[in-house]
Amino acid sequence: DRVREIDRPTLFAWGTEDSYRPPSVGEPVAADMPDARFERLPGHGHTVWLEAGNDVAGLLRAFLPSP
């Protein structure tokens, strides 16, 4: 519940095949946050940043402000 209190831009990158916590757990949390974006990565599991590193890096590049 405390995650919902984060008032900074937040990106959730979530694997659709996450057997530990499915996307249905994270989506409502992101929806309740003031500045959050939720991205599903099809075919990937709980360690989406390792499984789909290039895709996650692309999402981060698009999400983070340019220097």
Side-chain angles (χ1 to χ4, degrees), residues 2-3 7-8 13 17 21-23 25-28 32-33 44-45 64:
R2 297 205 58 202
V3 171
D7 64 351
R8 300 282 184 254
E17 305 307 310
R21 298 266 192 256
V25 171
E27 285 174 317
D32 286 347
M33 293 173 68
H44 297 289
L64 296 171

Side-chain angles (χ1 to χ4, degrees), residues 16-49:
T16 59
E17 305 307 310
D18 188 335
S19 60
Y20 181 65
R21 298 266 192 256
S24 60
V25 171
E27 285 174 317
V29 174
D32 286 347
M33 293 173 68
D35 195 7
R37 187 169 124 197
F38 192 94
E39 294 287 342
R40 288 173 164 251
L41 287 121
H44 297 289
H46 187 67
T47 55
V48 71
W49 61 94

Side-chain angles (χ1 to χ4, degrees), residues 59-66:
L59 289 172
L60 285 169
R61 281 188 205 99
F63 181 75
L64 296 171
S66 298

